[in-house]
Amino acid sequence: MAGMSFLRRRSAPVPAGPDFDVLAMDPSDWPGNLGAGLLPAPDGTCQGVFLRYDLFGGRGPAMIIGNLPEGSPFRDLGDRQVPLEVAQLLAALENEEQVEVVSVEDDPVMHEDNLLIVRRVTCSEERVSCVQFDRSDGVLVTIASWDRPITGDLYALLKPLPPEIFQQ
C-alpha cells in the first residue's frame, strides 16, 4: 500500500485492532480497492484507523475516512495544518504541493436519528473536500475526498464497522 510507509517506520508493533467501532462505509458496499491502516501508539495500542477507498481498481483514491479516539496524538494539529486524512489522501495521490486549511465552518446534518455538527474544512487545494465530526464516544471522524464534494447522502452510507474486522 503506497503512502503507508510511515506506519512501518515506527518501532511499536502494529496494534491487534481498535477497541472502538469504526464509522465508515462497509467495504462490501464499495466497488474499488480498499485499504485500511492502523495507527499505533508507542505502547502498541490503536490510536486510530483509517480506510482508503480507491476508485476503479487503483486509478487513485477517492476518499479516506479516519477514526481517531480521544487522546490520539494524530489529532494534535498546528494552526492551518490539514487533518491527517487529508495529508494521507494527498500523499497517495503524489500531490507534493503545500496544502493548508483556509477556513472551518459548522454544518448540521442528520445521521440516522442523530444530529451531527459537522465541521466543513476548506483547504487551499480546492479539489480536496474534508469534513469532521465528533462521535458521542469521543472518536473524531474525518472524511477526506478527492475531486468530489461530500454531500448529505454520504452520511447515510456510514455505519459502525466492528473492531474485529481490523484484527491482524
Side-chain angles (χ1 to χ4, degrees):
M1 290 199 286
M4 306 288 253
S5 56
F6 77 96
L7 288 175
R8 291 192 209 97
R9 275 206 306 276
R10 299 181 176 277
S11 54
V14 172
D19 56 4
F20 52 91
D21 284 343
V22 172
L23 195 63
M25 292 185 299
D26 191 317
S28 62
D29 296 344
W30 183 257
N33 294 344
L34 185 78
L38 302 181
L39 300 170
D43 65 359
T45 58
C46 180
Q47 292 301 312
V49 172
F50 57 88
L51 286 93
R52 177 176 139 178
Y53 299 87
D54 273 339
L55 268 182
F56 313 124
R59 281 205 315 226
M63 194 178 300
I64 290 181
I65 300 179
N67 286 248
L68 302 180
E70 280 180 302
S72 170
F74 301 98
R75 290 171 66 150
D76 296 334
L77 298 177
D79 194 38
R80 302 173 74 83
Q81 186 180 351
V82 296
L84 172 72
E85 294 79 3
V86 172
Q88 282 295 297
L89 186 64
L90 292 167
L93 292 161
E94 299 178 355
N95 185 319
E96 302 288 321
E97 288 173 55
Q98 186 64 40
V99 177
E100 55 184 32
V101 172
V102 177
S103 67
V104 179
E105 60 186 90
D106 287 347
D107 182 19
V109 301
M110 289 301 292
H111 177 257
E112 291 168 351
D113 295 330
N114 301 313
L115 180 67
L116 300 177
I117 302 302
V118 171
R119 294 181 294 281
R120 288 198 170 272
V121 179
T122 303
C123 298
S124 54
E125 166 55 81
E126 291 174 1
R127 288 170 292 180
V128 171
S129 297
C130 178
V131 297
Q132 295 185 305
F133 57 89
D134 296 296
R135 292 178 8 192
S136 57
D137 59 359
V139 172
L140 172 67
V141 177
T142 302
I143 305 170
S145 168
W146 180 254
D147 223 7
R148 51 180 55 201
I150 296 171
T151 56
D153 54 357
L154 175 64
Y155 302 107
L157 300 174
L158 299 176
K159 55 183 89 169
L161 305 177
E164 296 78 58
I165 73 168
F166 298 100
Q167 305 288 329
Q168 297 295 318

